[in-house]
Amino acid sequence: MRGEAVAVDFGVTPFDGLPLPSRVTICEVGPRDGLQNESTVLPVEVKAEFVDRLVDAGHTVVETTSMVHPKWVPQLADAEDLLRMVVPAPGVRYPVLVPNERGLDRALDLGVRDIAVFGSVTETFARRNLNRGVDESLEMFAPVVARARDAGIGVRGYLSMVFGDPWEGPVPTRDVVAVATRMMALGCTELSLGDTIGVATPGRVEDVLDALVASGIGIDALAVHFHDTYGQALSNALTALRRGVTRFDTSAGGLGGCPYAGSATGNLATEDLLWQLHGLGVETGVDLHRMVDTSIWLAGRLGRPSPSRTVTAFAG
Amino acid sequence: MRGEAVAVDFGVTPFDGLPLPSRVTICEVGPRDGLQNESTVLPVEVKAEFVDRLVDAGHTVVETTSMVHPKWVPQLADAEDLLRMVVPAPGVRYPVLVPNERGLDRALDLGVRDIAVFGSVTETFARRNLNRGVDESLEMFAPVVARARDAGIGVRGYLSMVFGDPWEGPVPTRDVVAVATRMMALGCTELSLGDTIGVATPGRVEDVLDALVASGIGIDALAVHFHDTYGQALSNALTALRRGVTRFDTSAGGLGGCPYAGSATGNLATEDLLWQLHGLGVETGVDLHRMVDTSIWLAGRLGRPSPSRTVTAFAG
């Protein structure tokens, strides 16, 4: 019985009367956001195989690593080795997190063509995560974004603590709009809205998306990045989909977590989102079974079972 | 940090433009559907304390046990002892699963005031679970429902395999309508739509609900019973809520599973639904923190951690 149920095509019934996007793009964040929050540090060869497997499964955006100081994120200390090892596939983007100009220099030297900067809506998290406030962190990003754009490089801007902050509590929507607007003004080509501690519910998701669109940011420039701390991630993704969002951040097998937010539960699992999207008739280009195989393989390397419900069901 | 985030009120933003129900009723199925699928058999005193704790947390419907033969469900062999032990609280319903007239006699002798019969939409599952086909099982239920209604007792009719069947694959909506209509004609006062193997996605949920309502069954008579096998349960519950459903089956801590469907993942966790409903401003009357405490306590008795994301986040 185990593993069999999903071999059957359970059919597709798109929402009636609802113009869901016919196709969405998943930004697979497992190698960066996932692995950076796992206690086990994988060998660089395993990471390179992980990235290749994700591309083989059909991913066209794989956030590969981060150019931060190894002192802060020892899990990604091998960033340069990994980038030298991964052979880019045609049509696939491999964004790399870059905190400052020094990181940008290193990324450019390695031929990186897509970067991301990691901002915060809240002052407290900015100071704890970036060691500087919101204003100062935007000042730090400004030359990074400008130089990247001059080099023809796409820049994703992460907004963390969009829906709630463990120290400040609920985050006012106007604060999200204020920081989002400034990130776009710097030249970001895309914003990823992070529910870093996983507290959001669908009404808040609608409220924030509507406010951002009303401020003039196009829905096509918005990605959503939900964590499943309280089991809300997929419902929130569904809500964003209904609002027209076409960019979703997920991690293979639900890898990850948030070291600042006290929970072992990580990102929305790619496989759980795929099950939903494919059931709704929304194309992703990503093969569910290959993803499950990859997450089972990786769980073996990490020595802990995948938190993804879908992977668990297949693994039996 | 652990456990702190949820002490903060993250605010309520109801769906704009959407008339969500202002209040819903949760049917807590942990003691029956949950425990019957756990490998550990708890002492009857622990079960009685579990039921009392659920009522103390605010539940007004607690499915308590099942009058099936101990040979088939040894976990619930103590049904009569448990029913003698639980002291009914005012305004609380304690439904009991009753397969046949003999079970009804036992239930009536014990003063049971709410029962449930467990049917199947698919022929294969009916034969495997009830040892008779759909027609014969409805014939078996007929006198049970009639006698219960004559005695002024409410009868919930379960429909299992509503969205997919592990042997038959996708289940046609017309089959769901056909069996649902016959169950209502027998005199059931409520129908619970079971995604027994957890394969449904939101489009299918809308399709089935719309077809049932179009057939003349009131939305108020419909409950939804989602399993989280592929992580879809809460998204499907959200979809049903938007369609006007006000009755949700959940189990404390996500207890349970399906012995016929090969997955350790059980019912939608009560706590994960509470997080969403309360965030949406929908009243339940159930206290989240008391539920989390109860699920952590029960996990200790069962010797395995709760699969609920919310309970896991609190447990830290």
Side-chain angles (χ1 to χ4, degrees), chain B residues 53-78:
Chain B
R53 278 173 170 261
L54 294 169
V55 172
D56 286 345
H59 278 297
T60 55
V61 187
V62 179
E63 195 174 77
T64 305
T65 187
S66 177
M67 290 292 180
V68 294
H69 197 289
K71 180 176 157 193
W72 304 117
V73 187
Q75 291 92 336
L76 305 183
D78 56 8

Side-chain angles (χ1 to χ4, degrees), chain A residues 146-220:
Chain A
R147 285 181 50 205
R149 292 298 306 280
D150 283 347
I153 284 176
V155 182
R156 152 175 277 221
Y158 275 105
L159 285 184
S160 50
M161 303 295 174
V162 164
F163 299 96
D165 175 288
W167 301 279
E168 300 187 15
V171 174
T173 300
R174 64 176 175 280
D175 291 2
V176 180
V177 173
V179 181
T181 307
R182 293 170 71 184
M183 297 273 275
M184 291 301 282
L186 291 182
C188 288
T189 47
E190 176 181 313
L191 286 184
S192 173
L193 310 172
D195 183 17
T196 317
I197 56 171
V199 296
T201 45
R204 289 285 298 133
V205 173
E206 291 196 343
D207 194 49
V208 166
L209 289 173
D210 290 353
L212 289 171
V213 169
S215 81
I217 300 174
I219 195 82
D220 290 344

Side-chain angles (χ1 to χ4, degrees), chain B residues 16-309:
Chain B
D16 52 349
L18 250 190
L20 290 187
S22 59
R23 187 178 178 88
V24 304
T25 301
I26 295 175
C27 176
E28 169 64 56
V29 299
R32 200 278 304 171
D33 195 24
L35 292 184
Q36 105 171 32
N37 292 304
E38 293 288 333
S39 54
T40 301
V41 181
L42 297 175
V44 67
E45 295 78 13
V46 175
K47 292 182 182 178
E49 181 176 349
F50 182 32
V51 171
D52 287 345
R53 278 173 170 261
L54 294 169
V55 172
D56 286 345
H59 278 297
T60 55
V61 187
V62 179
E63 195 174 77
T64 305
T65 187
S66 177
M67 290 292 180
V68 294
H69 197 289
K71 180 176 157 193
W72 304 117
V73 187
Q75 291 92 336
L76 305 183
D78 56 8
E80 301 196 3
D81 290 340
L82 177 60
L83 288 170
R84 286 194 196 94
M85 206 172 282
V86 171
V87 180
V92 178
R93 294 161 50 206
Y94 299 82
V96 171
L97 209 64
V98 164
N100 50 33
E101 286 195 88
R102 179 146 184 283
L104 179 65
D105 291 336
R106 291 166 64 204
L108 291 173
D109 286 346
L110 288 157
V112 166
R113 300 301 303 157
D114 286 277
I115 67 162
V117 295
F118 195 85
S120 168
V121 174
T122 67
E123 199 66 24
T124 312
F125 187 67
R127 293 191 182 281
R128 287 185 176 247
N129 192 50
L130 302 166
N131 206 27
R132 69 205 75 210
V134 171
D135 285 346
E136 300 95 305
S137 55
L138 289 169
E139 281 164 26
M140 177 173 69
F141 298 149
V144 175
V145 179
R147 287 181 50 205
R149 293 298 306 280
D150 283 347
I153 284 177
V155 182
R156 151 176 280 221
Y158 275 105
L159 286 183
S160 50
M161 303 297 174
V162 164
F163 300 96
D165 175 289
W167 301 279
E168 300 188 15
V171 174
T173 300
R174 63 176 177 280
D175 291 1
V176 181
V177 173
V179 181
T181 307
R182 293 171 72 184
M183 297 274 274
M184 290 302 281
L186 291 182
C188 288
T189 47
E190 177 181 313
L191 287 183
S192 173
L193 310 172
D195 183 18
T196 316
I197 57 170
V199 296
T201 46
R204 289 284 299 131
V205 173
E206 290 195 344
D207 195 48
V208 166
L209 289 173
D210 290 354
L212 290 171
V213 169
S215 81
I217 300 175
I219 194 84
D220 290 344
L222 296 174
V224 286
H225 183 113
F226 294 119
H227 282 239
D228 208 28
T229 321
Y230 300 96
Q232 309 297 311
L234 191 57
S235 294
N236 290 334
L238 173 65
T239 302
L241 182 76
R242 295 177 74 129
R243 274 307 204 250
V245 168
T246 57
R247 298 168 189 261
F248 295 84
D249 297 0
T250 61
S251 80
L255 282 180
C258 178
Y260 301 94
S263 167
T265 311
N267 291 279
L268 173 58
T270 306
E271 294 85 353
D272 295 4
L273 179 64
L274 289 178
W275 186 280
Q276 179 161 108
L277 291 175
H278 295 173
L280 287 167
V282 177
E283 286 180 32
T284 63
V286 182
D287 186 276
L288 173 62
H289 292 81
R290 284 189 178 202
M291 281 305 302
V292 169
D293 288 346
T294 293
S295 291
I296 292 173
W297 164 80
L298 195 72
R301 294 314 187 103
L302 289 169
R304 74 155 178 135
S306 160
S308 158
R309 304 288 200 214

Side-chain angles (χ1 to χ4, degrees), chain A residues 94-248:
Chain A
Y94 299 81
V96 171
L97 208 64
V98 165
N100 49 35
E101 287 195 87
R102 182 148 182 282
L104 179 66
D105 291 335
R106 291 166 63 205
L108 291 173
D109 286 347
L110 288 157
V112 166
R113 299 302 303 157
D114 286 276
I115 67 162
V117 295
F118 195 84
S120 168
V121 174
T122 67
E123 198 66 25
T124 311
F125 187 66
R127 291 190 182 281
R128 285 183 178 249
N129 192 51
L130 302 166
N131 206 25
R132 66 205 78 208
V134 171
D135 285 347
E136 299 96 304
S137 55
L138 288 169
E139 281 165 25
M140 177 174 70
F141 299 149
V144 176
V145 179
R147 285 181 50 205
R149 292 298 306 280
D150 283 347
I153 284 176
V155 182
R156 152 175 277 221
Y158 275 105
L159 285 184
S160 50
M161 303 295 174
V162 164
F163 299 96
D165 175 288
W167 301 279
E168 300 187 15
V171 174
T173 300
R174 64 176 175 280
D175 291 2
V176 180
V177 173
V179 181
T181 307
R182 293 170 71 184
M183 297 273 275
M184 291 301 282
L186 291 182
C188 288
T189 47
E190 176 181 313
L191 286 184
S192 173
L193 310 172
D195 183 17
T196 317
I197 56 171
V199 296
T201 45
R204 289 285 298 133
V205 173
E206 291 196 343
D207 194 49
V208 166
L209 289 173
D210 290 353
L212 289 171
V213 169
S215 81
I217 300 174
I219 195 82
D220 290 344
L222 295 174
V224 286
H225 183 111
F226 295 118
H227 281 239
D228 208 27
T229 322
Y230 300 95
Q232 309 298 309
L234 191 57
S235 295
N236 291 333
L238 173 64
T239 302
L241 182 76
R242 294 178 74 127
R243 274 306 204 253
V245 168
T246 57
R247 297 169 188 260
F248 295 84

Side-chain angles (χ1 to χ4, degrees), chain A residues 30-53:
Chain A
R32 200 278 305 169
D33 195 24
L35 292 183
Q36 103 172 33
N37 291 304
E38 293 288 334
S39 53
T40 301
V41 180
L42 297 175
V44 67
E45 295 78 12
V46 175
K47 292 181 182 179
E49 182 176 350
F50 182 32
V51 170
D52 287 345
R53 278 173 171 260

